[in-house]
Amino acid sequence: MTRQKYLFCYLMVAPAILITLALGVYPMIYSLWMSFVEYDLLRIQQFGTPFVGLENYAAVFADPRFLQTLSSTIIFTALSVTGVLAFGLILSQLLNASYRGRTAMRMLVCVPWFVPPAVASAIWMWLLNTERSPITQMLQGMGLIDGNIRYLTDPTTWGPFSIPMLSIVAVRVWNGLPFAVIFLLAALQSIPRSLYEAAEVDGASMLQKFWYVTLPMLRPMLAILATLLIIGGFGSFEINYIMTGGGPQNLTNVMAVYSYQQAYSFFRFDLASTASGVILILTGFISVFYLRSQFKKVA
Amino acid sequence: MEFALNATARRKALRGAMAGLSVAALMSANVLGANAQDITFWAQPQGDLLAYQDLFDNLTSQFRDQTGINVSVEVINWSVAFNTWLTVAQGGAAPDCADMYWLHAFVGIGGGKYGPRPLTDYLDQWPTLDQDFYEGALTDVRFNNEFYGIPWRVDIRPLIYRTDLLAEAGIDHPPQTWDEIVEDGLKLTQRDANGNVSRWGFAPGTNNAAQVMLPYYWQAGGQIMSDDGKTATIDNEAMRTALKFLQDLVHVHKIASPEMFESSNDAVANFTGGQVAMIGSMGSGIGEQLARDYPEMEGKWDFAINPEGPENRDSYSGGGYWGVLQGSQNVEACVEWIKFLSTPENMQVISETTGTASPRRAVMESPYWTDADWKKQVAETLNYGHTSQHPTSVWTALASPEPGAVLYDLVYNTVIIGNDIDAEIVQAQTRLQAELDRANAR
């Protein structure tokens, strides 16, 4: 490539790099800096922002509510990523098969993706309201249950699980499923037919074809999806905040909600940045592991 | 020659006249320029947005005609209002004056450099302020012995009840005391054959834990902190009484929902749907909403002043005010504008257009606020208004409806979880004092 061509290429990507630096990297670094200083809005005019080292990290890790939030975030992410990938695999297989009405099915599966999380939360809050839930009424009408189900408010727990947490996960899976299905469908369609034909010649059953052909061929896409979904899960905010506000009894609180509460309810931007810093570290680890595995493959 | 002289004289006279006119024109332009002033005013919408914008178009036009001052109004959507004012209080771009709220928090954050500006020097512009306005509303605009502006709307919270459901249960008047709340609540609570509650008799308030607790605590004679905002004062008998009353509603009498503080609890939907018969502390704004959006509910609901507790029948009172921002170069013009807005006539129009209760007594005594029983009850409740603002900048954080806020945790842990009241109060008192110290550190 000539020097001019290099220059042209750099010029073309420069705006994207500048925007990423200004709107992505700078706020991230600034937020990290805030986690090492005192940044209390009620004291900032008098005391400024003195450096406090790791004090904010010590403070949030000494807060039982943060530890509960950290554990809830991990559970929420694990359940929702597993749910999205499992249902995504099933649905993408279904949508890849040949039958009449396949296009309509593909459209239908995509519908939840068009619904912004805030709107999805409002819709599901109504569907899951204790006294007025149409789902409960339907189940009662079918004689399957007697009592109301407190989908978003029942504080009963089984280990780390609770009905509100499972309800929130279900909404997250519903909202995020089309994203996974579209990626997996594209990956499925790129698998050469010849591999399935060879497996058929060898007498492989449908399950064996899935296990020995489909799954290995989908693995790179599944890894990308899992990484993206885990990162999204750790930063999840809207559904948890709108549907439960972290309740009941802090059972559905996640770190992004904790961070928001510290900043905008309690004016502690330092503690909010610290919680965000923990999210950054966790998602950073996941990304590094993923990238390393990709580089190893290339090598 | 005579003609020529005359002609010359005429030309000179003409030049002189032209010069004189030019000077006069320039002078008058300067005078006009000195009077023509632009001020910026930010406000959050209330009621119907189009009607609200029309209202301010009319008001600014009248004000310009009267004073020559141009007011540029920018409407801040409520969804971004808090972040906007938080930014302004930290030195972000500020208007000259505005419709604001949470005075104490934003003054504290601004630290005297940004945010709301005291208007104590201009107090004489409203010589009969104390007689004209309800006392509770005026408390909202005073902080650290300074006066910050004119209250223009009140979020007063009377009791709201379903007249049809009370009549069905054989109850001929809304509860007048805490005991009557329990008596009526028991009659009004209904369960189906499976034991599911189909109607709760009583909801103490909407889903904000601290705001639900406050009126009952005041009614029991308590105050959250000392008058100077330095000492926490919740470890007392009044708090025990209030929390015990609320706890018993859920756990002993079982007439109030244990879900009352959850985000998914929708008090208005429960009330209109008949899933709750009485709400003990409900923003009066719902009156206008029910009258406008729920015609099928006409005659089925009413307001009443809050039932009396052990000490009084105080009602929650919040609101908004017009004030000036630090850094404004147009303080006098802003004061003129606020003075104009706060005339009885304009406050009447504003109250009618927005449907919000007015802190000005004359407005609440006008035909608009006396043509329906529920409106009279709103006006009556204003006499019992206890400000929800407290003399500390950390109040908003203390009373936030979020887990982790001192009062939220106190109320949730006792009323919903059923924890020991004494132990929770002791812990909350310590946490509250630590927060007050944080706000008062200098």
Side-chain angles (χ1 to χ4, degrees), chain B residues 103-265:
Chain B
L103 170 75
H104 306 67
F106 294 132
V107 166
I109 291 168
K113 297 177 193 163
Y114 311 109
R117 177 199 194 284
L119 292 179
T120 316
D121 294 344
Y122 299 91
L123 197 48
D124 57 2
Q125 299 289 315
W126 294 273
T128 54
L129 193 70
D130 290 329
Q131 294 87 59
D132 296 342
F133 287 77
Y134 290 98
E135 187 191 338
L138 287 176
T139 317
D140 282 358
V141 293
R142 290 186 173 126
F143 184 42
N144 287 342
N145 299 318
E146 297 279 11
F147 164 75
Y148 280 87
I150 296 292
W152 76 270
R153 67 179 170 90
V154 195
D155 175 18
I156 192 77
R157 301 192 182 171
L159 175 136
I160 191 167
Y161 64 101
R162 288 284 299 256
T163 50
D164 54 343
L165 301 182
L166 261 68
E168 199 181 287
I171 304 165
D172 60 4
H173 64 271
Q176 298 299 311
T177 61
W178 284 13
D179 288 341
E180 282 187 24
I181 288 177
V182 176
E183 264 173 53
D184 294 353
L186 288 167
K187 288 179 194 162
L188 288 161
T189 301
Q190 286 188 345
R191 290 179 169 78
D192 64 19
N194 297 315
N196 296 314
V197 174
S198 52
R199 183 209 296 156
W200 293 102
F202 184 71
T206 54
N207 58 3
N208 183 321
Q211 292 183 9
V212 165
M213 175 270 286
L214 281 170
Y216 301 95
Y217 179 49
W218 296 329
Q219 287 160 20
Q223 296 295 337
I224 298 288
M225 61 190 69
S226 56
D227 290 344
D228 59 5
K230 290 185 176 165
T231 311
T233 57
I234 58 170
D235 188 355
N236 58 34
E237 213 42 47
M239 184 58 89
R240 285 179 186 81
T241 306
L243 290 177
K244 183 78 175 70
F245 173 68
L246 293 170
Q247 192 182 56
D248 285 354
L249 293 178
V250 176
H251 296 280
V252 177
H253 311 302
K254 299 184 192 300
I255 60 172
S257 169
E259 298 181 4
M260 68 175 95
F261 300 137
E262 307 303 344
S263 292
S264 56
N265 182 49

Side-chain angles (χ1 to χ4, degrees), chain A residues 40 130 132 150 153 261 266, chain B residues 90 196 259 270 402 438:
Chain A
D40 180 344
T130 305
R132 293 185 297 277
R150 298 168 68 189
T153 53
Q261 288 166 338
F266 310 140
Chain B
Q90 290 182 88
N196 296 314
E259 298 181 4
N270 288 344
E402 310 275 0
R438 170 190 165 206

Side-chain angles (χ1 to χ4, degrees), chain A residues 169-218:
Chain A
V169 167
V171 176
R172 169 83 177 170
V173 170
W174 175 83
N175 198 222
L177 199 54
F179 174 73
V181 170
I182 286 166
F183 276 74
L184 289 171
L185 191 57
L188 275 176
Q189 287 173 349
S190 68
I191 300 174
R193 283 285 324 150
S194 57
L195 291 179
Y196 290 106
E197 284 161 7
E200 275 165 20
V201 170
D202 290 342
S205 67
M206 194 187 274
L207 202 65
Q208 284 170 322
K209 277 193 281 183
F210 175 76
W211 191 254
Y212 292 110
V213 179
T214 310
L215 214 50
M217 296 300 284
L218 286 182

Side-chain angles (χ1 to χ4, degrees), chain A residues 256-279:
Chain A
V257 175
Y258 178 90
S259 179
Y260 179 85
Q261 288 166 338
Q262 288 294 346
Y264 293 102
S265 295
F266 310 140
F267 306 138
R268 292 298 304 265
F269 276 69
D270 43 7
L271 299 183
S273 298
T274 308
S276 302
V278 175
I279 299 174

